[in-house]
Amino acid sequence: MATSTGASSDDEMSTDGQPSAGTEGAERPAMDLGDFKTLEQFIIERQKGVPHSTGAFSRLLRDISVAAKIVNRDMRTAGLIDVHGSTGEVNVQGEVRQKMDALAHREFVLALRRGGECCLIGSEEHAEAIPLATTEGEEGDYIVLLDPLDGSSNIDVNVSVGTIFSVYRLPERWEGKPTVKAALQPGTRQVAAGYVVYGSSTMLVYTTGTGEVNGFTLDPSIGEFLLSHPDISTPDEGKIYSINQAYYESWGDGLKDYVRWMQQPDEEGKHPFKTRYIGSFVSDFHRNLLKGGIYIYPATRNSPSGKLRLMYEANPMAMLVEQAGGAATDGHTRILEKSPEKLHQRTPLFIGSKEMVETAGTFVQGERELEAA
Ligand code: AHM
Ligand code: MG
């Protein structure tokens, strides 16, 4: 964010680049809200452009952002309040549940329940879909699917983690209480998707599918998300690939060729690509979205469907990346067109810059092979 530090002009610096005596202890000027729109202001502004809007969607987004602020607060003190580490329980995916996973799940469910706009939640941290009991006749229309804390095995070592969310409408003419069937819609039916990355700063990035992806940075001093990254677009071509290469031997031949192709030096002996893999999907995705790149979690011999979940991870990020100009496939099929059969279903994922995802597809589908050197 372009907030001023108050000590940037040349005459305030000595020749060795240190602040001169006069600026020691200089106060950071109060942030001028004239420069930044808050998330709430932005949402209300957008709502005005939607005829007959009831404001329900705006309230739903507000509820999500409030839960994100609470999770952010807990994350920032995680080292101090004994929420580090595992609860010892195993979640529905068979993974040891981290304490922060449990806390984040709880905060999002509480916020959505209290808000009243959501009728059903699907969470990576809960085996069944969670119907929300709201006042009779006043049930919310929205279904929210989320991974409350992705990459949580990284918390103990201070690596950025994130929340991913996906919003659908209750199907038209649905009768009775919503069940998991109501949530099993293809990604093309999402009305919004987003993520929060709890990194060196905390950012909320979302889209409503109108061709815009906007990013908001949390200013902790005022507790507001401020529009810091308007209308994000991702480069068509990227230079970064993110994949866990330790599994190389269990990949298919097409993927092996694609990754080896990226490792080839060009005619001048330079390497056009580089690897960056944090092992925290939201963080890897966020970096690649801004800089250009591809994130791959492929099928492996032991996990033919890959690791990531279609409904909580792949679909929302696929909607975001497409709205920013990128692409997402499972190597063959566009992610958003996959028909879900189960809430916790997994999918291989190739996501990021359009040209990289397309090139990866040509290798994976056997249309292209690595030429022998
Ligand atoms: P999680 O949802 O249980 O946190 O697992 C998903 C995470 C992603 O954030 C990350 O990219 C991936 O798992 C890392 O897996 P691996 O260690 O197999 O590379
Ligand atoms: Mg996860």
Side-chain angles (χ1 to χ4, degrees):
M1 281 170 62
T3 36
S4 159
T5 61
S8 56
S9 66
D10 289 346
D11 58 2
E12 287 172 344
M13 302 294 256
S14 66
T15 46
D16 62 3
Q18 298 298 313
S20 58
T23 60
E24 262 172 346
E27 293 263 313
R28 184 174 184 262
M31 196 199 47
D32 182 357
L33 264 183
D35 294 340
F36 294 107
K37 211 171 275 176
T38 69
L39 175 62
E40 292 223 14
Q41 288 166 342
F42 182 85
I43 294 170
I44 289 166
E45 209 177 273
R46 290 299 152 108
Q47 186 195 319
K48 284 183 187 148
V50 182
H52 315 300
S53 166
T54 61
F57 179 72
S58 303
R59 291 192 291 275
L60 182 84
L61 272 183
R62 183 209 48 209
D63 298 338
I64 290 173
S65 73
V66 169
K69 285 183 205 172
I70 294 171
V71 172
N72 176 68
R73 181 203 60 197
D74 292 347
M75 295 286 302
R76 298 297 168 209
T77 50
L80 303 171
I81 57 169
D82 191 33
V83 289
H84 264 322
S86 151
T87 56
E89 293 168 37
V90 171
N91 73 4
V92 63
Q93 313 287 340
E95 297 148 348
V96 176
R97 202 152 100 141
Q98 301 292 309
K99 285 185 185 174
M100 273 306 297
D101 278 347
L103 274 181
H105 167 82
R106 186 170 167 272
E107 294 303 351
F108 277 95
V109 173
L110 276 176
L112 291 169
R113 192 188 294 279
R114 201 169 290 146
E117 305 302 343
C118 174
C119 58
L120 189 78
I121 299 175
S123 165
E124 194 190 296
E125 293 300 323
H126 200 85
E128 313 293 340
I130 307 169
L132 296 185
T134 43
T135 320
E136 191 67 33
E138 289 180 16
E139 291 89 358
D141 280 339
Y142 292 101
I143 296 170
V144 176
L145 306 182
L146 71 144
D147 182 352
L149 210 57
D150 180 72
S152 53
S153 60
N154 287 309
I155 296 171
D156 281 0
V157 287
N158 265 351
V159 169
S160 305
V161 294
T163 296
I164 311 173
F165 61 91
S166 168
V167 182
Y168 293 83
R169 270 186 194 283
L170 188 64
E172 273 182 36
R173 291 189 286 280
W174 183 271
E175 285 186 11
K177 288 275 170 211
T179 65
V180 65
K181 253 180 123 182
L184 295 179
Q185 305 182 38
T188 46
R189 304 288 294 272
Q190 291 172 106
V191 294
Y195 63 85
V196 184
V197 58
Y198 309 98
S200 45
S201 62
T202 295
M203 267 189 80
L204 186 151
V205 179
Y206 85 97
T207 183
T208 52
T210 54
E212 252 190 43
V213 174
N214 290 292
F216 300 79
T217 301
L218 182 66
D219 183 329
S221 65
I222 59 167
E224 294 280 359
F225 282 106
L226 303 176
L227 180 62
S228 53
H229 295 62
D231 202 4
I232 297 170
S233 65
T234 195
D236 281 345
E237 263 186 286
K239 303 225 168 296
I240 298 171
Y241 68 93
S242 309
I243 188 168
N244 190 337
Q245 295 204 65
Y247 306 143
Y248 181 88
E249 286 303 330
S250 54
W251 297 343
D253 289 342
L255 179 59
K256 284 180 179 169
D257 269 11
Y258 174 54
V259 171
R260 278 170 43 224
W261 173 78
M262 286 192 287
Q263 294 169 346
Q264 307 302 307
D266 61 18
E267 284 157 11
E268 292 166 18
K270 292 186 184 145
H271 288 274
F273 296 99
K274 59 186 172 189
T275 313
R276 292 286 182 272
Y277 189 72
I278 298 171
S280 183
F281 177 42
V282 178
S283 313
D284 279 312
F285 177 89
H286 181 67
R287 181 203 51 240
N288 292 358
L289 180 75
L290 298 182
K291 293 187 179 240
I294 187 170
Y295 172 97
I296 304 173
Y297 207 110
T300 59
R301 208 178 299 123
N302 294 334
S303 307
S305 300
K307 177 181 183 187
L308 301 190
R309 294 77 175 170
L310 177 63
M311 306 301 282
Y312 311 120
E313 289 159 329
N315 267 340
M317 295 308 219
M319 180 179 186
L320 277 159
V321 87
E322 284 196 6
Q323 294 297 312
T329 72
D330 65 2
H332 301 265
T333 306
R334 184 179 168 220
I335 289 291
L336 293 181
E337 288 175 13
K338 291 183 74 140
S339 298
E341 285 158 15
K342 288 187 296 187
L343 206 47
H344 294 282
Q345 147 176 3
R346 298 177 194 262
T347 179
L349 182 62
F350 294 72
I351 190 165
S353 294
K354 206 172 194 160
E355 294 193 8
M356 294 184 88
V357 174
E358 279 169 10
T359 307
T362 59
F363 277 98
V364 170
Q365 291 162 35
E367 288 167 16
R368 190 166 166 183
E369 285 177 11
L370 184 67
E371 288 154 27

